[in-house]
C-alpha cells in the first residue's frame, strides 16, 4: 500500500464507516432524510464487516487524515452470511420490529432485509465467493481512490485464495455501473432492482 490516503481500517474508524454509509446510501447519494435512525444502514452494510474481519477493511482519508471512504467485504460470503444471521442480526431484529413506522420505502426494505437476513446466495457457490461494499464521500470521488481501494482489496482476497467476487448495484446507481465495468466487473444477473456484477481474481494462495 503506497498511498498516504489509504490505510487498513481499525476499530476507531467505526463511526466514520457509519457516517459514510449513510451519506452514500441512496444509490450513491445522501440517504439521511430517508431513515429515522441514521445508524440503520451502517448496521447492515458497513459495521458487520469491520467487526468481523478488519483485515479486509480499508479506509480512504481526506487531506486532514479523516476517514472519508471505505472498502469492506468478505472473502467467504456463505460463512459471513451464517455469522450475520446467527450473531449480528438477532439484536437488530428486536430493535427494528415489523410494523415499525418508516420514513421511506428504502427504510422499509432495509427493515425487511434485517428481519429476513441475507438468505441463501447463488454466486458464492459458482466461483464468486467474496463480496464487497465500496463508498466514498463526494469530496473523494473521481480521484482514483476507488480504483486504488479496489486493487488493494482484490489483492487481499486473492492472497486468501478466493477465486472471484460478486456485488449488487442498485439500478439507479449508473455511476457505479460505469466504475465497476472500468475495473473489469461483468454483469452476472439483472434482477428487477439492479445488477449483480462479478469479477474473477487470480488466486495467489
Ligand atoms: C463508485 C465509486 C466507488 C467510484 O470510486 P471513484 O474514486 O470515484 O472512482 P475512480 O476515480 O477510482 O475511477 C476509477 C476508474 O473508473 C472510471 N470511472 C469512474 N466512474 C465511471 C463511470 N461512471 N463511467 C465510466 N468510468 C468511470 C474512472 O474514469 C477511472 O478510470 P481510469 O482507470 O481510466 O483512471 C465512488 O464514486 C463512490 O463511492 N460513489 C458513491 C457511493 C457508491 O455509489 N458506491 C457504490 C455502491 S454499489
Amino acid at each position: 500500500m503506497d498511498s498516504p490516503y489509504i490505510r487498513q481500517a481499525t476499530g476507531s474508524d467505526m463511526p466514520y464507516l457509519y457516517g459514510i454509509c449513510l451519506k452514500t446510501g441512496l444509490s450513491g447519494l445522501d440517504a439521511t432524510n430517508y431513515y429515522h435512525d441514521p445508524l440503520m444502514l451502517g448496521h447492515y452494510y458497513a459495521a458487520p464487516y469491520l467487526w468481523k474481519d478488519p483485515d479486509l477493511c480499508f479506509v480512504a482519508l481526506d487531506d486532514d487524515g479523516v476517514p472519508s471512504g471505505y472498502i469492506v467485504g468478505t472473502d467467504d460470503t456463505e460463512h459471513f452470511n451464517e455469522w450475520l444471521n446467527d450473531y449480528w442480526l438477532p439484536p437488530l431484529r428486536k430493535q427494528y420490529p415489523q410494523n415499525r413506522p418508516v420514513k421511506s420505502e428504502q427504510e422499509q426494505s432495509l427493515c425487511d432485509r434485517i428481519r429476513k437476513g441475507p438468505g441463501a446466495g447463488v454466486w458464492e457457490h459458482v466461483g464468486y465467493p467474496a463480496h464487497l461494499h465500496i463508498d466514498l464521500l463526494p469530496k473523494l470521488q473521481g480521484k482514483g481512490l476507488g480504483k486504488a481501494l479496489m486493487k488493494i482489496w482484490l489483492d487481499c482476497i486473492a492472497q486468501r485464495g478466493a477465486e472471484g467476487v460478486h456485488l449488487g448495484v442498485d439500478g439507479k446507481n449508473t455511476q457505479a455501473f460505469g466504475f465497476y465495468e472500468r475495473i473489469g466487473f461483468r454483469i452476472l444477473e439483472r434482477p428487477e432492482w439492479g445488477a449483480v456484477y462479478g469479477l474473477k481474481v487470480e488466486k495467489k494462495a
Side-chain angles (χ1 to χ4, degrees):
M1 208 188 309
D2 53 3
S3 163
Y5 293 102
I6 293 179
R7 65 163 166 75
Q8 181 90 54
T10 73
S12 65
D13 296 319
M14 190 66 97
Y16 299 98
L17 263 60
Y18 274 101
I20 298 160
C21 191
L22 181 65
K23 291 281 182 191
T24 56
L26 188 71
S27 305
L29 303 176
D30 189 353
T32 303
N33 294 329
Y34 288 71
Y35 294 85
H36 280 108
D37 180 352
L39 299 177
M40 194 180 186
L41 269 169
H43 279 332
Y44 196 90
Y45 290 108
Y49 299 90
L50 180 59
W51 183 269
K52 179 151 191 341
D53 197 350
D55 288 350
L56 273 187
C57 299
F58 297 86
V59 286
L61 311 173
D62 69 9
D63 288 336
D64 297 318
V66 179
S68 304
Y70 61 74
I71 188 165
V72 298
T74 175
D75 61 323
D76 183 349
T77 296
E78 189 180 12
H79 181 238
F80 178 85
N81 285 350
E82 276 172 23
W83 170 85
L84 199 71
N85 271 320
D86 295 347
Y87 172 78
W88 188 266
L89 291 177
L92 294 173
R93 288 176 180 134
K94 291 195 176 137
Q95 191 178 332
Y96 304 112
Q98 203 163 11
N99 302 326
R100 174 177 174 274
V102 292
K103 258 188 171 179
S104 64
E105 65 185 60
Q106 288 83 355
E107 185 178 9
Q108 184 59 56
S109 156
L110 183 53
C111 274
D112 295 343
R113 188 165 275 241
I114 286 171
R115 204 164 44 254
K116 288 185 197 143
V122 176
W123 298 108
E124 52 268 36
H125 302 294
V126 291
Y128 301 90
H131 80 260
L132 66 85
H133 300 282
I134 180 168
D135 292 303
L136 298 163
L137 293 180
K139 63 183 171 182
L140 289 199
Q141 292 172 16
K143 298 173 188 285
L145 285 167
K147 186 173 167 181
L149 283 167
M150 190 66 87
K151 182 176 179 333
I152 290 167
W153 196 89
L154 291 172
D155 279 352
C156 277
I157 63 156
Q159 272 160 21
R160 291 185 180 199
E163 56 186 319
V165 53
H166 69 279
L167 54 85
V169 188
D170 187 283
K172 295 191 198 80
N173 197 347
T174 48
Q175 204 241 331
F177 278 40
F179 168 73
Y180 291 124
E181 283 165 23
R182 180 77 184 99
I183 298 293
F185 282 80
R186 296 293 169 254
I187 289 181
L188 301 174
E189 186 189 358
R190 291 291 318 227
E192 31 77 38
W193 49 262
V196 179
Y197 276 91
L199 177 72
K200 287 288 185 184
V201 294
E202 203 170 314
K203 285 191 201 181
K204 292 184 180 158

